[in-house]
Amino acid sequence: MKHILVAATLIVALSTLASAEGFRPIFHPPTISILEALQRDPDNFSTLIGLLRKADLKELRKAKASYTLLAPTNAAFSKLSPEYFTEVTNDPARLRQLLLAHLLPGKIMFMQLFAPDKGGVAKKNVTESLKTADDGLAYIQCDEHPADPANEHHPLINKKARVLKSDIEGKFSVTQVIDTVLTP
């Protein structure tokens, strides 16, 4: 059974590979939850959706709780070894820790986080540390602020996960799509 699960996971992951160039953003009306927004794009987030459901994070069920989700795509999960993925998904405590490492309390918009200073000078090579829901830290490094304020940031998180799509805002949440799973 374990081998079938691993094989099925690999097939799903490999069939849904996406690159930064081919990533299409999820639609996130301001009145829906993070999970509801992700469900609108199962081609990119079916693995994350399944893990969030399995872990049943109470943080995401709170009525008006504000969170920022660093959302790995299916392609990001496919980079994990099948053994590690199986171990984590079969251990509720480890799965919870992994998912909480992708959740930041509050709505964090990268456009605001890395906005130019009051004199209009763009910040370069800035690293911000933000507390995660598991009491860890996520280090977000932005090399340069986009010249056009309408453009989005593609910072690096923990020196390994690149943001593919930033600042997808909902009423109480923000989703930042990333290309690599943040392993503890």
Side-chain angles (χ1 to χ4, degrees):
M1 180 67 179
K2 185 177 179 181
H3 296 295
I4 293 172
L5 176 63
V6 170
T9 302
L10 282 174
I11 290 169
V12 169
L14 292 174
S15 67
T16 58
L17 287 175
S19 67
E21 297 83 29
F23 181 79
R24 68 183 196 300
I26 58 176
F27 176 66
H28 194 318
T31 57
I32 66 174
S33 70
I34 290 174
L35 189 55
E36 290 169 324
L38 294 174
Q39 289 170 341
R40 292 176 180 234
D41 190 0
D43 291 343
N44 285 304
F45 298 107
S46 59
T47 304
L48 180 58
I49 292 165
L51 295 177
L52 289 169
R53 284 183 179 151
K54 184 174 185 172
D56 195 30
L57 296 180
K58 67 180 184 295
E59 292 80 0
L60 294 179
R61 288 182 311 199
K62 292 181 181 175
K64 294 184 180 178
S66 293
Y67 282 98
T68 298
L69 176 64
L70 305 173
T73 62
N74 291 342
F77 281 104
S78 73
K79 294 178 185 179
L80 298 174
S81 76
E83 296 81 17
Y84 176 78
F85 184 80
T86 301
E87 287 174 21
V88 169
T89 57
N90 290 328
D91 182 339
R94 285 181 70 190
L95 177 58
R96 179 175 170 70
Q97 180 184 15
L98 176 77
L99 293 173
L100 290 178
H102 291 81
L103 202 59
L104 308 170
K107 287 177 69 172
I108 300 164
M109 303 291 287
F110 288 167
M111 187 56 91
Q112 294 170 353
L113 186 65
F114 297 108
D117 64 19
K118 292 181 181 172
V121 177
K123 297 177 185 176
K124 294 186 180 201
N125 300 319
V126 176
T127 299
E128 297 283 344
S129 60
L130 302 171
K131 192 171 188 169
T132 60
D134 70 341
D135 291 325
L137 289 174
Y139 297 95
I140 295 109
Q141 178 183 1
C142 190
D143 296 334
E144 191 173 325
H145 193 283
D148 180 357
N151 290 339
E152 60 187 70
H153 286 275
H154 298 283
L156 197 60
I157 300 173
N158 293 350
K159 295 186 178 185
K160 63 179 179 177
R162 178 69 62 191
V163 174
L164 300 174
K165 177 73 179 156
S166 64
D167 298 344
I168 303 167
E169 187 176 13
K171 187 171 186 177
F172 298 107
S173 64
V174 174
T175 302
Q176 311 286 357
V177 179
I178 59 176
D179 70 353
T180 303
V181 176
L182 303 173
T183 53

